[in-house]
Amino acid sequence: MGTLTFQVTAQDGNARTGLLTVKHGSILTPAFMPVATRATVKALTSDDLHEVGAQLLICNTYHLMLQPKSDTIAALGGLHVFMNWNKPLVTDSGGFQAFSLGLGKEHAVGKLYFPGETYFESKRRGKSIVKINDKGIAFRSVYDNSRQFLTPEQSIRIQEQLGADMILVLDECTSPLSSKEYTAKSMERTHTWAKQCLAIHETDQALVGIVQGGHWQDLREKSANYIGSLDFDGFAIGGSLGKSKGDMHQVLEWVMPHLPDHKPRHLLGIGVVEDIFETVERGVDLFDCVSPTRLARSGYAYVRPPLGTKNNKFFYKLKSITYRQDNRPLDPHCTCKVCQRYSRAYIYHLLKTEELTGYSLISFHNVHFMLQLMKEIREAIAEGTFQTMKKEWIG
Ligand SMILES: [Zn+2]
């Protein structure tokens, strides 16, 4: 067992608040973790992330093991020192990239496959550069095309070198278009790998198991039962969440009753506003998603209700001529430093001229938006008004 304690502090239906403590500090849940893919949240410094109130970040093992390599980071004092971040950190196993560069690429889909919704993932179909067998995942580096082979043991050793507070087991993430037969086979492989990871894990980092099983009830229940029975410090729900939002909610309803109540639950890679409400309602404690910074780089700014609605998905395209002379802040109801000091017109101009500061300002605001949303959700759960808040936001 690693260093991790978790206490549920309030409950409103299945939604819950908690206090999660790991080596580098405590986190109030439900919590959103900005994604620091290559040891940085794009366009933001670690100081910005402290200022905006990020409680923890998640870094990407696939990228860091290839560049600058995990032994380099270990020699420089570990990931916390390397990126000047003294609060909690999570690393993933590298397995998800095998998906996004493998099946995800072949099927041209993301974790969720919603026909017509392309603003988020613009994946082009291509030949998979990944091969998976029972020993591990063979792939080519996106940096130098070198051949790589990642086993469960290597994934753990690499994450031990990186030194995050919470680390994830290696798993295989299937596509929403994978067959049931393939998903079942892949799930068994993930279970075997989970046990191997537990057996070889040596440090005091908290180790998180991952539930797979695609969008089939029997597979999801089997996986949640099995993974939930193992001695992990926390649990994550990974893999394909189906072909619609309804499927995703259904998957959570199958999985959650089989996971121990007293350990944290992380829904991997999900985090648009609507999903946050629906999944917090079903008992999820932790989220990670690139959406705030990815949207920022495409010139989209988040807005709260009443301007933000379910229809506009709580964001608007600032990089539109409409805002050329608009001297209001990005979101008139936002308390972040960018909204106190800069106008839409100014940031529009920066985006238009591709000035890098524009991306930093809008990213800061967007990350603030998500963290503020989580704070208000925690307050609503504690006060027993989560349903009222959910209604106000998404109807
Ligand atoms: Zn703001």
Side-chain angles (χ1 to χ4, degrees):
M1 297 286 278
T3 303
L4 182 148
T5 59
F6 181 67
Q7 228 184 323
V8 175
T9 50
Q11 199 131 15
D12 184 358
N14 286 327
R16 58 195 207 166
T17 58
L19 182 67
L20 169 62
T21 303
V22 290
K23 206 170 167 184
H24 284 82
S26 291
I27 299 138
L28 299 170
T29 65
F32 179 87
M33 47 184 107
V35 181
T37 307
R38 298 184 176 102
T40 175
V41 175
K42 289 193 195 304
L44 297 176
T45 63
S46 294
D47 292 336
D48 290 332
L49 291 157
H50 273 289
E51 195 179 344
V52 80
Q55 304 188 83
L56 76 172
L57 306 176
I58 183 166
C59 297
N60 193 298
T61 292
Y62 173 90
H63 286 286
L64 298 176
M65 68 180 271
L66 298 172
Q67 168 60 40
K69 301 195 190 325
S70 53
D71 50 357
T72 306
I73 290 177
L76 292 166
L79 204 41
H80 288 89
V81 175
F82 183 58
M83 63 190 282
N84 184 35
W85 177 255
N86 59 9
K87 291 206 255 181
L89 275 179
V90 180
T91 46
D92 66 6
S93 68
F96 180 68
Q97 268 59 39
F99 162 73
S100 59
L101 299 170
L103 275 179
K105 203 159 186 172
E106 252 177 30
H107 292 172
V109 293
K111 278 172 80 74
L112 280 155
Y113 172 66
F114 301 141
E117 286 193 21
T118 53
Y119 61 87
F120 228 34
E121 306 265 355
S122 56
K123 288 183 181 295
R124 262 174 299 174
R125 256 173 208 273
K127 204 169 144 30
S128 168
I129 53 168
V130 176
K131 286 211 161 43
I132 298 180
N133 63 32
D134 290 342
K135 290 209 175 75
I137 307 175
F139 61 92
R140 283 184 183 271
S141 161
V142 291
Y143 294 95
D144 59 8
N145 207 34
S146 59
R147 282 175 194 277
Q148 304 283 336
F149 192 73
L150 189 63
T151 64
E153 178 167 10
Q154 277 170 327
S155 171
I156 295 295
R157 295 290 171 251
I158 289 167
Q159 293 185 80
E160 287 173 350
Q161 285 190 311
L162 295 174
D165 300 80
M166 295 167 76
I167 66 177
L168 269 72
V169 296
L170 186 68
D171 66 331
E172 181 187 358
C173 184
T174 52
S175 143
L177 303 182
S178 294
S179 67
K180 183 172 183 184
E181 196 190 354
Y182 184 82
T183 305
K185 197 176 138 198
S186 154
M187 178 193 81
E188 295 300 341
R189 182 146 61 206
T190 288
H191 291 177
T192 307
W193 289 358
K195 256 203 124 149
Q196 288 172 6
C197 288
L198 263 177
I200 57 168
H201 175 45
E202 283 172 349
T203 65
D204 62 353
Q205 294 164 291
L207 182 62
V208 175
I210 303 180
V211 175
Q212 287 286 347
H215 53 283
W216 286 280
Q217 182 172 4
D218 54 338
L219 299 184
R220 277 291 176 183
E221 287 177 351
K222 188 175 179 191
S223 187
N225 251 320
Y226 181 75
I227 298 291
S229 74
L230 298 179
D231 199 17
F232 287 113
D233 298 298
F235 298 94
I237 299 121
S240 152
L241 297 167
K243 297 179 184 175
S244 69
K245 300 266 185 194
D247 284 357
M248 176 169 77
H249 306 157
Q250 186 69 73
V251 165
L252 289 176
E253 281 157 24
W254 293 330
V255 166
M256 288 307 196
H258 301 281
L259 296 179
D261 274 340
H262 60 288
K263 293 188 177 176
R265 305 148 171 177
H266 178 181
L267 183 59
L268 293 167
I270 295 294
V272 302
V273 174
E274 229 180 301
D275 296 341
I276 298 267
F277 279 100
E278 294 291 351
T279 57
V280 162
E281 186 178 17
R282 290 167 173 82
V284 174
D285 306 304
L286 296 168
F287 300 89
D288 73 275
C289 190
V290 294
S291 56
T293 43
R294 181 174 287 177
L295 285 170
R297 292 199 306 286
S298 306
Y300 289 91
Y302 274 123
V303 271
R304 299 168 58 84
L307 296 177
T309 66
K310 204 174 157 180
N311 287 338
N312 62 21
K313 300 183 194 301
F314 303 94
F315 52 74
Y316 65 97
K317 189 160 193 171
L318 183 69
K319 217 174 167 179
S320 147
I321 190 81
T322 327
Y323 303 106
R324 195 170 60 96
Q325 291 190 312
D326 191 333
N327 64 10
R328 289 175 297 172
L330 288 178
D331 178 357
H333 303 282
C334 177
T335 56
C336 89
K337 98 178 161 186
V338 174
C339 290
Q340 307 316 305
R341 300 178 194 168
Y342 301 97
S343 68
R344 291 177 181 177
Y346 176 61
I347 301 172
Y348 165 84
H349 156 74
L350 296 179
L351 294 178
K352 189 79 189 157
T353 50
E354 292 182 11
E355 285 290 344
L356 299 179
T357 308
Y359 301 106
S360 295
L361 293 178
I362 199 165
S363 295
F364 189 98
H365 163 77
N366 281 358
V367 171
H368 177 275
F369 173 96
M370 289 306 300
L371 299 177
Q372 180 64 25
L373 171 64
M374 299 314 295
K375 183 166 174 258
E376 290 175 28
I377 285 177
R378 290 192 297 268
E379 288 165 358
I381 295 170
E383 288 162 10
T385 56
F386 176 73
Q387 286 303 333
T388 315
M389 183 188 175
K390 187 187 166 203
K391 222 167 258 153
E392 281 166 12
W393 278 70
I394 62 172

